[in-house]
Amino acid sequence: LTFFNKIWYFFGLFLNRIISPVILGTIFFCIISPIALCMRIFKRDELLLKRNKAKSYWKSDTSLYNQKSSYKNQY
């Protein structure tokens, strides 16, 4: 059965070379590309890549977890 096992293994590798790019290309062009086009149409900038006029890109963190008192009793 070693011969059939090798044939089946190489058949699987052959299918992998054909099916994987087709599936990934379909996912990209049917799901990711329309989402990107909608984001451009509505001028959304989720990654905040547009340059702003601020002096720094750092965001101030005013949450309770950033206070000095939260570091004393952590548990």
Side-chain angles (χ1 to χ4, degrees), residues 30-51:
C30 293
I31 296 173
I32 296 175
S33 293
I35 291 173
L37 289 174
C38 289
M39 299 279 276
R40 283 192 179 194
I41 289 171
F42 295 117
K43 296 182 180 179
R44 296 280 306 223
D45 187 21
E46 296 297 322
L47 295 177
L48 302 174
L49 295 175
K50 291 183 180 178
R51 304 243 183 222

Side-chain angles (χ1 to χ4, degrees), residues 5-33:
N5 188 15
K6 286 184 180 180
I7 290 176
W8 190 255
Y9 174 75
F10 287 115
F11 179 67
L13 289 177
F14 172 72
L15 284 179
N16 181 34
R17 290 190 154 234
I18 295 173
I19 300 298
S20 291
V22 170
I23 297 295
L24 288 175
T26 304
I27 289 172
F28 180 78
F29 287 112
C30 293
I31 296 173
I32 296 175
S33 293

Side-chain angles (χ1 to χ4, degrees), residues 1-7:
L1 294 177
T2 306
F3 175 72
F4 294 114
N5 188 15
K6 286 184 180 180
I7 290 176

Side-chain angles (χ1 to χ4, degrees), residues 45-63:
D45 187 21
E46 296 297 322
L47 295 177
L48 302 174
L49 295 175
K50 291 183 180 178
R51 304 243 183 222
N52 56 3
K53 296 180 181 180
K55 292 182 180 180
S56 175
Y57 289 103
W58 286 84
K59 294 180 182 178
S60 61
D61 188 13
T62 58
S63 65

